[in-house]
Amino acid sequence: MSFIFATLFYLSSLSPSQTAASPVTVYFFLGEQCIISQNFTAEIRHIYEAYKSDQVRFIGLFPNGYSTTEGIQQFQEKYQIPFPLSIDKGQKMTKKFDVKVTPEVVVCHEQKVLYQGRINDQYVRVGRRRPQPTTAELRDALQSLAEDQPIAITQTTAIGCFITQISQCNTSQ
């Protein structure tokens, strides 16, 4: 965890124009059976539409052991997710970023984390949400990048459904 904080400290001094050479990647960790992931799909689509560009790419990852290609395709069709979705095989990316719940988002540039955490503060805790969010940390982070400004908040705690850990014997996904 200290590596993540050190990386975030380093990146807070990084000018967004230094990220222009290669695209920023926004990873959405989602669960097709997670009601919180389902409830965020409209906001995810809106964020995609607002910030998609040659410099920002979006990828949806499904880290749970029960996720299947068919289940992900059904999720994509039902919730009209307009960017690529796939299984996080062996939970490689989940472990890399120490993601614990879905939905959680990680914004990266060249393997450096620029923002990690919740999409917004709609959920106070599992089972309790606000009628409207009062903050929008992911939008704020992406807007800062679009405006060539430093990201003010680089980490938040995501509220969501716990990710089921895949045992070492079951990493064929």
Side-chain angles (χ1 to χ4, degrees):
M1 197 65 157
S2 61
F3 170 77
I4 292 173
F5 289 118
T7 302
L8 292 174
F9 176 77
Y10 166 76
L11 289 171
S12 66
S13 64
L14 187 65
S15 165
S17 62
Q18 292 173 290
T19 65
S22 62
V24 168
T25 302
V26 180
Y27 294 103
F28 285 99
F29 290 83
L30 302 166
E32 66 272 33
Q33 296 177 9
C34 176
I35 192 75
I36 299 173
S37 288
Q38 295 167 7
N39 288 341
F40 266 111
T41 56
E43 178 63 5
I44 289 169
R45 285 193 315 273
H46 293 303
I47 289 169
Y48 172 80
E49 289 302 322
Y51 295 101
K52 68 179 178 179
S53 73
D54 291 340
Q55 293 304 311
V56 181
R57 67 181 181 154
F58 294 81
I59 299 172
L61 297 172
F62 289 75
N64 286 300
Y66 58 76
S67 294
T68 64
T69 302
E70 296 79 22
I72 293 169
Q73 288 173 340
Q74 289 172 357
F75 183 92
Q76 188 163 33
E77 290 170 14
K78 180 176 182 178
Y79 296 105
Q80 302 171 349
I81 304 298
F83 50 84
L85 304 179
S86 68
I87 293 173
D88 182 13
K89 294 182 180 181
Q91 296 180 326
K92 180 180 174 185
M93 300 301 281
T94 302
K95 291 173 185 171
K96 176 179 180 174
F97 297 120
D98 196 29
V99 173
K100 301 289 187 212
V101 300
T102 63
E104 185 166 343
V105 66
V106 178
V107 179
C108 293
H109 178 257
E110 295 180 349
Q111 304 302 315
K112 294 177 179 75
V113 176
L114 303 176
Y115 171 77
Q116 181 169 352
R118 64 189 180 197
I119 296 167
N120 62 38
D121 71 346
Q122 178 105 36
Y123 280 84
V124 178
R125 64 177 184 268
V126 174
R128 182 157 182 248
R129 66 179 175 167
R130 294 178 171 90
Q132 295 294 320
T134 61
T135 64
E137 292 88 357
L138 176 57
R139 281 182 179 268
D140 293 346
L142 294 174
Q143 189 61 39
S144 292
L145 290 172
E147 294 174 356
D148 201 26
Q149 297 295 315
I151 297 171
I153 297 173
T154 57
Q155 187 170 25
T156 58
T157 301
I159 307 292
C161 305
F162 285 107
I163 295 169
T164 56
Q165 299 301 310
I166 297 174
S167 72
Q168 295 298 329
C169 297
N170 185 19
T171 58
S172 62
Q173 293 190 24

